[in-house]
Each structure stands twice: as C-alpha cells, then as structure tokens.
Amino acid sequence: MQHRLARFDRKVTPLLFVAPFFGLFVVFGAFPLLYTAWVSLHDWNLLEGDQGHLGLANYGDLLTDPHFYNALANTVGIFLLAAVPEFLLALGIAALLDRPLRAATWWRTGILLPNVVSVVAVGLVFGQLFSRDYGVVNEVLGWFGVAPVNWQAKTWTSHLAVATMVLWRWTGYNALIYLAAMQAVPGDLYEAAALDGASRWRTFWSITVPGIRPALAFTAIAGTVNGLQLFAEPQLFGGGSDAAGGNDRQFQTLVMYLYEKGFTQFDAGYAAALTWVMFVFCALFALANYRLVRRFVRSA
C-alpha cells in the first residue's frame, strides 16, 4: 500500500504543481482564442451581441477592405523603419558594454531606462519633440535651413516619427539581451582568434555574432510580434483622441484599425476576424524574420 502511494505521489504531485498554469492558460488563453474564432464567424455587435451567423463573410469583407491594406502597409513600414536600425544599434551597444568599463552596472541600467518609462510619458514627450510649431526636432532642422515639418501630415514623416519612438524604447532592452548572450560565449574562442591574428571586427562577426544566434532569433521573433501589434505609440502620436491615425489614416496600424472597428464602431465580429488575420501575419513575418536572421548569422 505504501509503495502504491509513493508511486502515485511521484506521478501526480508534479501534475498538481503545474495544474494552476494550465488552468489559467485555459481560462485566459485558450478559451478567449477559440471564442474569438467563433465571434469572427458572426455578425456580432459589441453591445447587442450575436446578430446572426455569417460564416466567412467577415474575412471576405476584410480582404477587400482598402482600410485594412492601408493599415497593413503602415504597420509594416513603421516596423521596418524601427526594427532594422534597432537591432543593429542594439548589437553595437551590447558590444561596447561587453568591454571593460568603469561603472559598468550604471551604464547597463541606464540603457534599460527607456523601456521602463511609461509609454504614455514617451508618447507625450515625443509628441512635443515632433510638434510642428514648437518641436525641438523642427528647431534643430531650422538651424540647417530646413523648413518646419508637419510630422503628422505625411505618411513617411509620421512613420519616421513613430519609428523613432519605438527605436528609443526598445533598443536598450535588446542590447541587454545581446550583452547577456555575449558574456556566455566561451573565452577560448576569442583567445584562439587573437592567436590567429584576427582583427576585432573579424572576431565580432565570426565569433560573437554566431555565438549569440539564439538571442538574435529571440529578439527577431519577439520584435516582429511586437512590431506588428504596434498601438500605443502611434495612438499617442496622434493625440490619443481616435484610432484613425491621422486625417488620411497615414499612420493607422492594424491594432488601431482593430480598435476602431471593435470599440468605436462596435463591430466585434469584424474585429475578431481581423485578430485572426493578424495572428497569421505575425506567424508568417516571425518565421521569415527568423530565417533571415539565421542566414545573416551564417554569412557573417
């Protein structure tokens, strides 16, 4: 009897320890996901509920919606403007912090500060920096004879301004991830490279970058998912009053469009369909970004 109890304890106790996680995942993860898929197949008003079954009609309307393609183009444009310099700059900062520095802890803490600052504060500050009439950016451009720019008025200027906000917030976070990975690269490899006469630049691209490939892949996937779900920065850049993203929707992202359809027009069925389409895009872009990073590392 005691032997059976001990065997039961060994099999069941670990399951009991992990059961709370799976319980929370089912309630707050799996159920909302499946319920959203169900809602996307209906004419569902956010306030009045189910108005009837539509099948795939919401998806059909979405794929012929010009506002959807505009939001997708804006999202990808802002993501590319922010992600490419963000990852390269984070690599450079991590390489500098990996060298012997005085007060290294303070430097490493300092580069993480932008990430822990409230996104609302970031939006307000950058909204003032890129103000047309009193912004610091236009003031500096004026020193070089450049006329004041209305950063919200055009597509490329608004994308550049929002991408700058994203770049400022997340570069330090990625740099610390790269730094932790760099410090785990075996020192013997660097000693062998030094004996072979490899330059610091060659050592970095031939040893350091391949050695932190898992960290590069993680930031590529996480950055892609976060970039395609961009909402707070462009919303606050537009003043936070609505989710249209400017008079011509020039910086409206996918999540802003989802918010507009679901919480302004109360079309929950259409918003749910948009959610699932966004999920597919996130998966495809994350996979493509992961493969691109692996190829980049191998060719380094």
Side-chain angles (χ1 to χ4, degrees):
M1 184 65 180
Q2 187 174 3
H3 177 69
R4 290 182 178 179
L5 288 175
R7 186 172 59 181
F8 178 81
D9 179 66
R10 286 195 302 270
K11 290 183 177 180
V12 175
T13 300
L15 297 177
L16 293 177
F17 279 117
V18 299
F21 166 78
F22 286 103
L24 292 173
F25 172 76
V26 169
V27 174
F28 296 104
F31 173 73
L33 190 67
L34 297 176
Y35 189 71
T36 302
W38 171 258
V39 171
S40 71
L41 302 176
H42 293 75
D43 179 11
W44 199 291
N45 185 277
L46 189 65
L47 301 179
E48 299 175 1
D50 189 3
Q51 305 296 306
H53 183 74
L54 294 178
L56 298 177
N58 282 326
Y59 293 93
D61 293 341
L62 180 65
L63 296 178
T64 58
D65 184 356
H67 292 326
F68 163 71
Y69 290 104
N70 173 73
L72 177 61
N74 290 338
T75 304
V76 174
I78 295 173
F79 165 71
L80 292 177
L81 277 175
V84 175
E86 175 186 320
F87 293 146
L88 294 177
L89 188 58
L91 262 179
I93 294 174
L96 290 175
L97 293 178
D98 194 35
R99 301 177 63 185
L101 295 172
R102 290 186 177 181
T105 302
W106 290 101
W107 287 107
R108 294 167 186 175
T109 304
I111 65 167
L112 191 61
L113 285 179
N115 186 252
V116 300
V117 174
S118 169
V119 66
V120 176
V122 174
L124 292 174
V125 170
F126 275 83
Q128 294 297 318
L129 290 175
F130 287 99
S131 173
R132 182 188 61 182
D133 299 320
Y134 307 105
V136 175
V137 176
N138 278 342
E139 178 69 22
V140 173
L141 291 177
W143 298 346
F144 301 95
V146 180
V149 178
N150 188 351
W151 294 93
Q152 293 186 9
K154 297 181 180 179
T155 299
W156 74 270
T157 55
S158 59
H159 287 192
L160 182 61
V162 175
T164 303
M165 298 168 61
V166 177
L167 178 68
W168 187 82
R169 284 197 70 215
W170 291 102
T171 299
Y173 172 81
N174 289 327
L176 283 186
I177 293 178
Y178 295 156
L179 175 62
M182 287 178 183
Q183 293 182 339
V185 177
D188 296 344
L189 298 178
Y190 293 109
E191 294 177 2
L195 291 175
D196 289 341
S199 65
R200 183 174 296 173
W201 180 258
R202 185 70 262 175
T203 301
F204 177 76
W205 288 108
S206 297
I207 296 178
T208 304
V209 173
I212 63 171
R213 185 168 60 183
L216 291 172
F218 168 76
T219 55
I221 295 174
T224 301
V225 173
N226 290 332
L228 295 179
Q229 297 182 25
L230 194 63
F231 175 74
E233 287 87 350
Q235 176 77 358
L236 293 169
F237 178 70
S241 57
D242 61 77
N247 296 330
D248 296 326
R249 300 178 180 269
Q250 60 267 27
F251 56 92
Q252 184 184 52
T253 61
L254 285 173
V255 180
M256 292 176 70
Y257 188 47
L258 186 154
Y259 179 85
E260 180 186 9
K261 297 296 290 187
F263 297 97
T264 302
Q265 302 177 11
F266 305 117
D267 192 349
Y270 194 93
L274 179 55
T275 301
W276 273 91
V277 172
M278 283 181 57
F279 170 76
V280 173
F281 274 115
C282 284
L284 293 177
F285 272 91
L287 179 61
N289 217 347
Y290 172 72
R291 290 184 177 275
L292 184 64
V293 168
R294 289 190 61 184
R295 182 171 299 179
F296 167 75
V297 171
R298 287 178 178 176
S299 62

